[in-house]
Amino acid sequence: MVRLSARCLMAFQRNQDAANFLFEGKKIVGVALNYMCAVKAKNVPVPQVPIVFLKPTTSYLREGCPIILPKVFTKVAYEVELGVVIGSRCKNVSKAQAMQHVGGYCLALDLTAQCNLTAARATGGSWTLGKGFDTSTPVSQFIPFDAVDDPHTLPLWLKVNGELKQSGCTADLVFKVPDIIAYVSKYMTLEPNDLILTGTPNGSDAFKAGDVIECGLADLATMKFNVCAE
């Protein structure tokens, strides 16, 4: 009989728990403007702390189902991202201990109604509607924690109708995964199956009904979605 160490048992358990994030997660935490290439392209100051927003889990979308653009929006943009799935409960966790609470990862899209967010920014309004609409968070299958040696060396790409639109690497993150977890856990408890969207490289732009979006994360995951109008 093979006996696992306590550390191995804990890692196995958090991987098993986090694998159900799509169905059992309670919240999605997004981070905006978190790639240096995007900061430079927009010619804006580097954020001093993570810019955090929330999305409902009703925005999840599995591969095989279409992205549906709500008729209330005139401009929705793609954003390819590394998703970090929380594996164990944490509150006020330190950066040094943060990775112990990661259960695994996924490839994700954070679809954004730029028409809505432009107006929200101008008036100091909420990002919720422009970020949290149905089908706005397409995600891949769960990627186990042990499948990724370093989450800060992963290339990301996105194509629209076969044309490359975004290409970046998580090495370019302004705030690394432990930074984000430690910061967010000061304000809210992170629970198993919660998802953190870590931000997108430069190149985010609008897409339309009839487009086909493909994206990938290193050699770990790829996704493909057809886009439909509501």
Side-chain angles (χ1 to χ4, degrees):
M1 180 178 178
V2 176
R3 294 185 180 277
L4 298 176
S5 68
R7 183 176 180 180
C8 288
L9 282 170
M10 288 177 64
F12 174 78
Q13 187 61 50
R14 72 180 180 182
N15 281 350
Q16 291 296 104
D17 291 345
N20 297 318
F21 77 98
L22 185 65
F23 303 102
E24 298 183 8
K26 293 182 179 179
K27 57 184 173 290
I28 303 167
V29 180
V31 182
L33 201 63
N34 198 33
Y35 275 76
M36 283 302 302
C37 58
V39 171
K40 292 176 181 177
K42 296 177 185 296
N43 194 28
V44 295
V46 178
Q48 298 302 299
V49 296
I51 302 170
V52 176
F53 58 90
L54 292 176
K55 302 182 69 164
T57 56
T58 50
S59 67
Y60 276 136
L61 181 69
R62 290 181 289 177
E63 189 174 15
C65 300
I67 294 168
I68 300 175
L69 298 179
K71 56 188 175 183
V72 294
F73 295 140
T74 58
K75 186 178 182 182
V76 176
Y78 47 77
E79 297 183 7
V80 64
E81 313 206 0
L82 167 68
V84 178
V85 183
I86 297 298
S88 59
R89 189 177 187 274
C90 59
K91 172 68 175 175
N92 288 320
V93 68
S94 68
K95 292 180 185 179
Q97 300 296 318
M99 293 303 293
Q100 296 180 15
H101 297 278
V102 175
Y105 306 92
C106 71
L107 171 63
L109 294 175
D110 175 25
L111 304 181
T112 301
Q114 292 182 339
C115 53
N116 180 273
L117 261 68
T118 298
R121 290 190 184 103
T123 61
S126 171
W127 292 14
T128 302
L129 299 181
K131 285 285 192 180
F133 59 91
D134 292 350
T135 78
S136 67
T137 314
V139 290
S140 72
Q141 292 185 345
F142 177 74
I143 301 168
F145 180 84
D146 294 339
V148 178
D149 292 330
D150 183 353
H152 307 108
T153 60
L154 303 175
L156 286 162
W157 58 267
L158 181 142
K159 296 179 180 179
V160 178
N161 302 327
E163 182 179 352
L164 185 65
K165 296 293 187 178
Q166 287 187 281
S167 180
C169 180
T170 55
D172 197 36
L173 285 169
V174 176
F175 298 101
K176 308 302 184 186
V177 174
D179 300 326
I180 299 168
I181 293 173
Y183 179 78
V184 172
S185 75
K186 292 179 183 179
Y187 299 91
M188 66 184 76
T189 299
L190 292 171
E191 299 178 290
N193 296 299
D194 285 348
L195 179 66
I196 295 176
L197 301 175
T198 56
T200 194
N202 187 46
S204 172
D205 204 353
F207 62 99
K208 63 185 185 305
D211 286 343
V212 176
I213 293 180
E214 300 172 83
C215 57
L217 173 67
D219 60 354
L220 298 166
T222 59
M223 299 191 295
K224 184 175 182 179
F225 293 92
N226 294 320
V227 182
C228 301
E230 187 176 36

